[in-house]
Amino acid sequence: MSDIVAKTLGALPVFLLEESQPGARRLSGTSRLGSLIRSITSLSSKQEEEKLIQQELTNLKTTVSSPSTTLRQMKECMVRLIYCEMLGYEASFGYIHAIKLAQQGNLLEKRVGYLAISLFLHENHELLLLLVNTVLKDLQSTNLVEVCMALTVVSQIFPREMIPAALPLIEDKLQHSKEIIREKAVLALYKFYLIAPNQVQHIHDRFRKALCDRDVGVMAASLHIYLQLVKDNPSSYKDLTGSFVMILKQVVGAKLPVDFNYHSVPAPWLQIQLLRILRFLGKDDPRTSELIYDVLDESLRRAEINHNITYAILFECVQTIYTIYPKSDLFEKAAKCIGKFVLSLKINLKYLGLKALTYVIQQDPNLALQHQMTIIECLDHPDLIIKRETLELLYRITNGQNVTAIVQKMLDYLRQSKEEYTIINLTGKIAELAEKYSPSNEWFIQTMNVIFSVGGDIMHPDIPNNFLRLLAEGFDDEKEAQHLRLYAVQSYLTLLEKNAHYPQRFLQVISWVLGEYSYLKIDVRPETIMAKLSTFLELSSVTSETKTWILAAVTKLAALTPSVDIVDKVTEKFSSSLDTCLRQCALELQNLHKNLEVMKKLLPVDASCEDLVVDASLSFLDGFVAEALGCGAAPYKPRHQRQEEKLSQEKALNFEPYGPSFSSSLPSSVVIGKQSPSGLSLSSELSGNSTERGLKEANCLKVEGAQKVWGKEGYLLKKENKLGNTAQGSLLLEDAAEPSVLPASQPRVALSEEESEKQQLASTLFIGLGSSNAINLMGKPEYSTQKFKKSPKSHKMKNDKTSPILNTTSSLFRPVPDAGHCNCEQPMLRKFSLHSPEGLESRVPLERSKSLNEVSFKAKLSSLFSGNSLNIFHPQQMPEINKNYCRPSLPLDLAEEPHSDIQELAENDVLSVYSCKVWKEDSLLLLLFIVNKTSSALNTVSLMFAESDAFKVSESFVCHFPVVTAQSIESWMGWVEMEKPCTHGMLSGHIHYHLEADVPTQLEFSVTLVLSDFIRPLRITTEDFGKLWLSFSNDVKQNIKLPNTQESLTLILNTLQQKLRLHIVDIIGEEGIVACQLLPSLPALLHSRIHKGMLAVWFRSPCSALPDCLLYHCQREMEES
């Protein structure tokens, strides 16, 4: 009775409120969601939206947490939570309530609960374990709707560990009388096959029954499984080829219900899947291909409707025709389809045509000749994707006769491109073609110099590595190899005569070549080369690593001359350097040069590929060891003995408190006394929100600053005006008639100058395609002779891990071409050529997307390098250094602090602005240098920063200099803080000054600041880490695939510690905890663990944005390292 009274009293206020307001009624969940959507759409900024959503989430959190909330109200709240999550705002407080709603609600409420769960949680989420019993119960329900909902959730998210519990129930559903249940059961088994294929191997016979099911939906669902099965092991399913062909014939013949049609096309997606299955079954199998020919012909004939879906079917047909055992009739029809695609004015169809042409060029190179003028047109197409695919096609048809012209086009795009992925991709391809088809030594060296100049430090490090290896190992003709080295020395000596700024990797290549082979240039004294190289040691723009290369080259040259002036100058400067490698190089040079005879023996000429004699037994230490043992030292224990003793000690109970570091493999629960983040998902195959991103290389496509090129109206940039010849322009895919492609040899009447130039370019690019022995069919056997063949002396090496570049017992004098930091252990050159599979095809992402800038066909195609001029080697973005004004440098007190290089931000004829970042322990100090390059004073110079939401400058945003005298430097210094965490941002500003004529002028600049500039170690204990971990609510989890699965967690964390300035709190076996803070005092915690070749990381912080930013930088550093 008391409960009834309490409920009545609780309902009175609402009842009275409704009575006092006639016509008033409670808002339904739908109207509340609509009101929320209307409120969001009426806002004008992202900040207002965030404020409104946060307020809505606060109200929802209060409502769902209230014990008086009914299931109906919970359902309405869950709908709004779904919408907030769809907008990108975290609503983790509602996850558990979604599970409760699916467990306790009626049919409609359970449906909303399952929907929310499928959207909120990923398949490795901890809360999914609470849902398993509910799913199993619903699978056994007599209500068909509940069974359907449970099967839907299983096919989307289900814990891998719980598959054995649900598998028998789902197998039973394959015999269900309702088609929808059987179809969803097949899809659930398909999900199980993707995440745990070994657990469903025993039910493959059930898949065959599903393929023959009387319901089309069940049969279509089974094709998903068979596509994966046939792709993994086609030979086991050859007997099903007839079944797949029969199904495709029925689909093409419109035997299925009309419900499966799409724009009058019978079951198009079913056709596409069947064509892909048949493609795998018929590959390199004449007997199986015979069964497929007729249905392929019928599919091509039926796909005549001009619609995007039919284009997709035609494209799949073309790929299938060129994959299975060839047949001439089908080849001709596929070629006509490709011609329709290539000649279409629609960009999407043209792209499909180029893609198909690139795919089939291996088997039918003459097909490119039929469309050579269209391909030339595509090189000047405004769409960047069309350009990219056209370059890929040219790359595939390269041979020894057209390599010069194609490399010329690729270099033109490379010079104009500013995108990192495009530079990496093109430099790798050009380097491969240059070595494979180089017409002469001079052309090869000049082409590689262009790659080094334009590619800079962005290109893959294997390119300079393999170039130096090729020079060192030589090839069959030793005389030709010496000529190649001599021309390289001449080329680099010419470059050193010019006051140009070269990339760091290019300087490393120059220094190594001159140090190793300058003796071939007999008319140039070693002192002259040493003097030229030593000038780069004075430049602040040259990194410490590059200076180490230069010092090694100077050391090798010093062995050829008794001159001591340059040696004394260099050793005096760097023998007290703060950099360990530089100081070591200088001291060894200083001591070795005292005895020139010993130095010549240690550094012989042309010995970079000779074996090193290593005393593996270390016999020279026998006396020292005997003396130590005599004094009571412990004898040496082999590694296996030390490990056994260590394991035996671990078995005993340890009553001592944990020290600062652990080497034993302990459970994750000992990291924190109360609660450990060991519940982090560690499956390398299940993480729905992280594994896929971890497997993608490139870490993530960068879209910041990307130009908007698509809108509601389609492509927003300049559209294509014409497509070459008007006779070809009429042959569109929309026409049902077959296109008549003009032969390349047919003469044309009244050719314009532009058309004649295009024909000349086409004849240059497509030369050699008529001969099968000359074309480079990537992936097929080649009969052309490679230009550079490795010398047999490269096989004399006893150990592949030892670089052939080294010729002494010290690696200092033969630094290996690699991009690693000089303070790290020197990695060795890998032994493969520029285009070897171990080198570029596995390391340089040749298939990555790239954008290519537009070039003009007006310029005549001429020789890439004419005469002896090497001006082409100058990067366009690097201005020449003006020696008439002084370079800025850090004050002595700041030079000892960790700091960045002094970089130029902006410059004109009057001023140059430089910046330098000093990473102090508790702050980031930013220095700006204003350099007056003129011979007259500048009056009323003002430095002003633009206001930024992300950064805060401690000093004033405006700084005034009354006068900046001629040829002088003024500096500004200020502390910078990151107020809003972000991966990187720009701090912009401008310099306002007056010339003597009192003309106001302005120079704009911007400084790039990244999150790692503001990260500092947070030195705490393990106990403090556990307390903070429990107090932080914002977290991010991610599985990062390790390139080297043998790396230890200690090595990985040490790398992150050096790169991001983190503090390693503790390492316990395969788990580690790390702490850091965002200046001035925003903490962030990291729990990491290695599991199955993946690094599982879990960030927590009181700030919601900081974990995502730290995760981004961790992934970037892992990829770079």
Side-chain angles (χ1 to χ4, degrees):
M1 186 67 183
S2 59
D3 294 339
I4 298 176
V5 174
K7 292 181 180 180
T8 304
L9 293 176
L12 279 177
V14 178
F15 175 77
L16 294 175
L17 179 62
E18 291 182 351
E19 289 296 328
S20 62
Q21 298 178 357
R25 62 181 180 88
R26 268 186 270 181
L27 293 173
S28 66
T30 305
S31 59
R32 288 178 181 176
L33 176 62
S35 176
L36 175 62
I37 295 174
R38 285 190 294 271
S39 300
I40 293 175
T41 54
S42 63
L43 299 178
S44 59
S45 66
K46 185 69 175 178
Q47 290 76 13
E48 293 178 357
E49 176 191 313
E50 184 176 354
K51 184 178 179 180
L52 177 63
I53 294 296
Q54 293 299 336
Q55 182 180 359
E56 179 72 15
L57 290 175
T58 303
N59 297 335
L60 289 172
K61 186 175 183 180
T62 304
T63 304
V64 299
S65 302
S66 175
S68 61
T69 303
T70 64
L71 291 178
R72 180 179 179 181
Q73 293 172 337
M74 188 69 70
K75 181 198 69 174
E76 297 170 355
C77 293
M78 208 55 60
V79 173
R80 285 183 282 165
L81 279 177
I82 291 174
Y83 186 73
C84 293
E85 280 266 345
M86 289 170 59
L87 293 178
Y89 297 92
E90 184 183 16
S92 57
F93 62 86
Y95 296 173
I96 187 64
H97 298 285
I99 294 179
K100 291 180 179 179
L101 190 62
Q103 293 172 342
Q104 303 172 1
N106 58 27
L107 203 59
L108 183 58
E109 293 159 356
K110 183 186 288 287
R111 182 180 180 183
V112 174
Y114 273 133
L115 174 63
I117 290 169
S118 62
L119 295 175
F120 289 161
L121 307 182
H122 56 82
E123 47 194 24
N124 292 321
H125 202 282
E126 307 87 18
L127 294 179
L128 274 183
L129 293 176
L130 303 177
L131 190 68
V132 173
N133 286 335
T134 304
V135 172
L136 296 180
K137 183 182 69 174
D138 289 341
L139 285 175
Q140 302 176 58
S141 174
T142 57
N143 191 316
L144 295 181
V145 179
E146 289 185 351
V147 177
C148 286
M149 288 190 293
L151 289 173
T152 302
V153 169
V154 168
S155 62
Q156 292 180 353
I157 52 172
F158 199 74
R160 181 178 183 178
E161 298 80 9
M162 296 293 106
I163 289 179
L167 188 57
L169 298 175
I170 297 177
E171 286 185 57
D172 293 339
K173 296 298 180 288
L174 292 176
Q175 310 296 331
H176 203 278
S177 59
K178 293 295 182 179
E179 300 84 3
I180 185 66
I181 301 296
R182 299 200 301 272
E183 180 181 349
K184 289 184 177 292
V186 171
L187 293 176
L189 293 176
Y190 171 60
K191 178 67 174 180
F192 288 172
Y193 178 78
L194 292 180
I195 61 179
N198 294 331
Q199 298 190 25
V200 294
Q201 284 184 349
H202 63 285
I203 58 173
H204 282 193
D205 291 338
R206 301 287 187 93
F207 297 158
R208 292 179 179 250
K209 292 182 180 180
L211 181 65
C212 302
D213 196 277
R214 61 182 179 274
D215 184 74
V216 179
V218 179
M219 179 270 297
S222 67
L223 292 181
H224 293 284
I225 300 178
Y226 274 105
L227 181 59
Q228 293 295 328
L229 293 173
V230 172
K231 185 177 180 180
D232 296 338
N233 187 13
S235 59
S236 300
Y237 301 94
K238 297 281 188 179
D239 58 317
L240 291 177
T241 305
S243 300
F244 292 124
V245 170
M246 183 62 64
I247 294 173
L248 182 56
K249 284 183 178 179
Q250 295 181 23
V251 173
V252 173
K255 302 296 184 181
L256 301 186
V258 183
D259 297 340
F260 289 88
N261 290 2
Y262 178 78
H263 287 270
S264 303
V265 180
W269 288 277
L270 204 58
Q271 292 189 49
I272 291 174
Q273 277 200 317
L274 288 167
L275 287 171
R276 290 175 179 174
I277 292 174
L278 295 176
R279 182 192 314 165
F280 292 118
L281 290 174
K283 185 177 181 180
D284 300 329
D285 188 346
R287 185 175 179 182
T288 305
S289 300
E290 284 288 342
L291 302 175
I292 306 175
Y293 291 150
D294 292 339
V295 71
L296 272 179
D297 193 5
E298 183 69 13
S299 297
L300 285 173
R301 188 179 63 83
R302 295 265 185 170
E304 295 178 352
I305 303 174
N306 293 320
H307 193 273
N308 286 336
I309 195 63
T310 59
Y311 304 149
I313 296 175
L314 287 174
F315 182 75
E316 292 295 335
C317 288
V318 169
Q319 282 193 300
T320 304
I321 289 172
Y322 279 94
T323 302
I324 65 176
Y325 196 80
K327 185 179 181 182
S328 58
D329 295 343
L330 290 178
F331 270 19
E332 293 178 2
K333 296 180 180 180
K336 293 178 181 179
C337 289
I338 295 176
K340 291 180 181 180
F341 285 142
V342 172
L343 297 174
S344 176
L345 288 175
K346 295 182 179 180
I347 294 177
N348 290 339
L349 300 186
K350 188 179 290 293
Y351 173 78
L352 277 183
L354 291 172
K355 194 77 175 175
L357 203 57
T358 304
Y359 182 80
V360 306
I361 199 67
Q362 298 182 9
Q363 299 187 25
D364 191 4
N366 291 323
L367 191 59
L369 293 175
Q370 300 176 18
H371 305 286
Q372 53 183 321
M373 296 308 301
T374 305
I375 296 173
I376 297 299
E377 294 281 351
C378 291
L379 283 173
D380 199 22
H381 201 280
D383 189 273
L384 301 180
I385 304 300
I386 298 296
K387 292 182 181 179
R388 182 199 71 182
E389 200 58 42
T390 306
L391 269 187
E392 179 67 24
L393 176 60
L394 292 179
Y395 167 72
R396 296 295 183 96
I397 65 175
T398 306
N399 54 59
Q401 296 175 280
N402 61 8
V403 62
T404 305
I406 290 180
V407 168
Q408 169 84 32
K409 303 304 296 182
M410 299 176 78
L411 287 174
D412 291 340
Y413 282 112
L414 181 63
R415 291 190 190 94
Q416 299 178 24
S417 177
K418 304 298 180 184
E419 294 186 1
E420 179 178 345
Y421 295 117
T422 302
I423 294 175
I424 294 175
N425 191 294
L426 283 182
T427 51
K429 290 182 176 179
I430 297 172
E432 176 184 351
L433 297 178
E435 182 189 0
K436 203 168 189 178
Y437 301 110
S438 174
S440 65
N441 292 336
E442 292 79 5
W443 184 89
F444 174 70
I445 293 296
Q446 291 170 347
T447 303
M448 295 304 299
N449 288 350
V450 178
I451 294 175
F452 296 147
S453 296
V454 182
D457 300 326
I458 302 177
M459 64 180 174
H460 201 280
D462 279 344
I463 296 177
N465 286 6
N466 298 329
F467 172 71
L468 296 184
R469 178 174 294 279
L470 178 64
L471 288 178
E473 295 181 355
F475 30 94
D476 293 342
D477 190 348
E478 184 60 27
K479 183 178 179 181
E480 191 74 12
Q482 288 293 85
H483 181 266
L484 178 67
R485 296 162 183 159
L486 176 60
Y487 187 82
V489 172
Q490 293 174 345
S491 173
Y492 296 148
L493 288 177
T494 306
L495 291 178
L496 292 183
E497 294 291 343
K498 304 174 182 180
N499 297 324
H501 189 98
Y502 301 105
Q504 301 300 313
R505 286 180 179 165
F506 196 12
L507 285 177
Q508 295 168 9
V509 170
I510 292 174
S511 59
W512 188 89
V513 172
L514 292 181
E516 199 70 38
Y517 299 113
S518 60
Y519 70 92
L520 297 174
K521 188 73 173 173
I522 57 178
D523 57 340
V524 179
R525 295 176 55 83
E527 295 88 343
T528 306
I529 303 176
M530 291 168 61
K532 292 180 179 180
L533 290 175
S534 61
T535 58
F536 290 95
L537 296 173
E538 308 294 332
L539 301 179
S540 60
S541 60
V542 180
T543 63
S544 299
E545 180 189 3
T546 304
K547 289 181 180 179
T548 305
W549 285 70
I550 297 174
L551 272 179
V554 171
T555 304
K556 286 181 278 188
L557 292 169
L560 305 177
T561 176
S563 177
V564 296
D565 295 338
I566 299 178
V567 174
D568 292 343
K569 181 180 178 182
V570 170
T571 54
E572 181 181 358
K573 178 179 178 60
F574 292 101
S575 57
S576 59
S577 174
L578 296 177
D579 189 279
T580 305
C581 287
L582 288 176
R583 186 167 65 252
Q584 180 181 350
C585 288
L587 291 175
E588 292 187 359
L589 172 60
Q590 185 179 22
N591 288 278
L592 284 174
H593 202 260
K594 294 178 181 178
N595 192 334
L596 199 58
E597 295 299 326
V598 175
M599 193 174 187
K600 289 182 178 180
K601 291 181 180 180
L602 286 173
L603 303 172
V605 297
D606 195 19
S608 58
C609 285
E610 293 186 1
D611 295 340
L612 298 178
V613 180
V614 179
D615 186 2
S617 63
L618 305 180
S619 58
F620 58 90
L621 293 177
D622 290 346
F624 173 79
V625 173
E627 183 181 352
L629 291 175
C631 296
Y636 172 76
K637 295 180 180 180
R639 183 179 179 182
H640 65 86
Q641 184 179 352
R642 297 196 304 269
Q643 290 179 343
E644 291 176 359
E645 294 178 357
K646 183 179 178 181
L647 292 174
S648 62
Q649 293 174 0
E650 290 175 357
K651 294 178 181 179
L653 293 177
N654 182 16
F655 296 97
E656 296 296 329
Y658 293 118
S661 176
F662 300 94
S663 58
S664 60
S665 178
L666 298 177
S668 59
S669 58
V670 302
V671 180
I672 305 169
K674 300 179 181 178
Q675 178 180 344
S676 169
S678 59
L680 176 61
S681 167
L682 299 172
S683 174
S684 62
E685 299 178 358
L686 299 182
S687 179
N689 68 333
S690 62
T691 304
E692 194 172 79
R693 286 180 291 171
L695 293 176
K696 290 182 180 179
E697 302 180 344
N699 1 90
C700 306
L701 183 62
K702 301 176 183 177
V703 296
E704 292 85 353
Q707 185 179 7
K708 184 178 180 181
V709 296
W710 291 99
K712 294 182 179 179
E713 296 80 13
Y715 194 61
L716 300 180
L717 299 182
K718 185 180 73 173
K719 296 186 176 180
E720 186 179 13
N721 294 325
K722 57 182 180 179
L723 190 63
N725 199 326
T726 55
Q728 292 183 352
S730 61
L731 301 176
L732 306 180
L733 187 61
E734 291 78 359
D735 299 331
E738 295 180 356
S740 57
V741 182
L742 291 176
S745 60
Q746 181 176 343
R748 298 191 180 191
V749 181
L751 289 177
S752 64
E753 181 181 356
E754 182 179 359
E755 290 178 341
S756 61
E757 290 180 358
K758 290 180 180 179
Q759 280 196 349
Q760 181 183 359
L761 178 60
S763 62
T764 309
L765 292 176
F766 296 95
I767 187 174
L769 292 189
S771 173
S772 60
N773 293 340
I775 185 170
N776 169 28
L777 304 179
M778 301 298 176
K780 298 192 62 83
E782 294 198 52
Y783 305 98
S784 58
T785 305
Q786 185 172 333
K787 171 64 180 177
F788 301 117
K789 289 187 177 180
K790 294 297 179 63
S791 173
K793 71 178 181 181
S794 62
H795 301 287
K796 297 179 182 179
M797 299 178 58
K798 297 179 181 179
N799 190 353
D800 278 347
K801 295 183 179 179
T802 305
S803 170
I805 309 301
L806 305 175
N807 63 4
T808 72
T809 57
S810 172
S811 63
L812 170 65
F813 308 113
R814 299 290 186 270
V816 186
D818 205 293
H821 193 273
C822 59
N823 289 333
C824 302
E825 183 181 353
Q826 297 261 8
M828 300 301 171
L829 275 172
R830 289 170 291 278
K831 186 173 181 180
F832 41 74
S833 66
L834 294 178
H835 63 278
S836 63
E838 302 89 357
L840 289 178
E841 292 184 7
S842 61
R843 290 183 161 269
V844 182
L846 296 181
E847 300 298 331
R848 195 172 290 177
S849 300
K850 48 194 175 291
S851 296
L852 303 171
N853 293 334
E854 191 175 355
V855 295
S856 174
F857 284 110
K858 300 285 185 180
K860 297 180 182 285
L861 183 65
S862 59
S863 176
L864 181 60
F865 304 100
S866 58
N868 296 325
S869 175
L870 295 178
N871 293 329
I872 192 170
F873 301 146
H874 295 285
Q876 298 176 359
Q877 68 273 21
M878 298 293 184
E880 291 191 359
I881 300 175
N882 187 356
K883 291 189 176 181
N884 295 329
Y885 63 93
C886 52
R887 305 267 307 177
S889 60
L890 286 176
L892 294 179
D893 56 334
L894 295 178
E896 299 178 356
E897 299 278 352
H899 62 274
S900 66
D901 294 332
I902 299 178
Q903 298 180 347
E904 187 177 43
L905 302 179
E907 62 97 21
N908 56 19
D909 296 336
V910 178
L911 286 180
S912 288
V913 183
Y914 295 84
S915 71
C916 182
K917 293 181 282 190
V918 179
W919 299 296
K920 287 186 168 292
E921 189 68 24
D922 57 350
S923 60
L924 173 66
L925 182 62
L926 180 64
L927 287 87
L928 295 181
F929 302 95
I930 304 174
V931 181
N932 182 5
K933 301 190 293 186
T934 64
S935 57
S936 58
L938 302 178
N939 301 320
T940 319
V941 180
S942 300
L943 167 64
M944 287 173 279
F945 286 98
E947 294 187 3
S948 173
D949 296 334
F951 304 106
K952 175 184 177 182
V953 181
S954 60
E955 300 294 332
S956 173
F957 275 87
V958 181
C959 180
H960 299 284
F961 303 98
V963 62
V964 179
T965 58
Q967 303 289 331
S968 66
I969 301 176
E970 293 289 345
S971 62
W972 173 90
M973 182 187 310
W975 311 101
V976 182
E977 294 181 2
M978 179 177 283
E979 290 188 320
K980 185 177 180 181
C982 58
T983 56
H984 60 276
M986 305 292 291
L987 185 61
S988 303
H990 65 271
I991 308 291
H992 190 273
Y993 59 92
H994 292 262
L995 298 173
E996 288 185 344
D998 202 25
V999 178
T1001 313
Q1002 184 171 296
L1003 176 62
E1004 296 181 352
F1005 65 88
S1006 58
V1007 185
T1008 302
L1009 300 173
V1010 296
L1011 180 71
S1012 57
D1013 292 330
F1014 303 91
I1015 293 296
R1016 297 294 182 271
L1018 178 60
R1019 294 178 173 84
I1020 57 176
T1021 63
T1022 305
E1023 183 179 0
D1024 295 334
F1025 183 95
K1027 294 178 181 179
L1028 288 176
W1029 184 271
L1030 296 176
S1031 64
F1032 296 160
S1033 59
N1034 300 292
D1035 61 350
V1036 170
K1037 303 174 186 178
Q1038 178 75 48
N1039 288 352
I1040 305 175
K1041 185 176 182 181
L1042 297 176
N1044 183 6
T1045 57
Q1046 303 300 323
E1047 280 187 322
S1048 64
L1049 181 63
T1050 304
L1051 181 61
I1052 295 173
L1053 293 184
N1054 286 336
T1055 302
L1056 295 179
Q1057 181 185 27
Q1058 295 174 3
K1059 300 289 186 179
L1060 300 180
R1061 304 179 188 88
L1062 309 177
H1063 171 61
I1064 301 177
V1065 180
D1066 214 342
I1067 299 178
I1068 308 172
E1070 295 299 327
E1071 298 189 25
I1073 50 178
V1074 180
C1076 64
Q1077 61 178 338
L1078 177 66
L1079 295 176
S1081 59
L1082 183 60
L1085 305 179
L1086 165 63
H1087 175 271
S1088 59
R1089 181 177 179 181
I1090 292 182
H1091 183 74
K1092 294 183 179 180
M1094 307 285 289
L1095 176 65
V1097 295
W1098 188 355
F1099 286 95
R1100 275 196 175 185
S1101 174
C1103 175
S1104 59
L1106 185 56
D1108 290 315
C1109 299
L1110 284 172
L1111 175 61
Y1112 169 80
H1113 281 278
C1114 282
Q1115 288 178 313
R1116 187 184 181 96
E1117 296 300 337
M1118 290 287 294
E1119 292 170 0
E1120 292 180 353
S1121 61

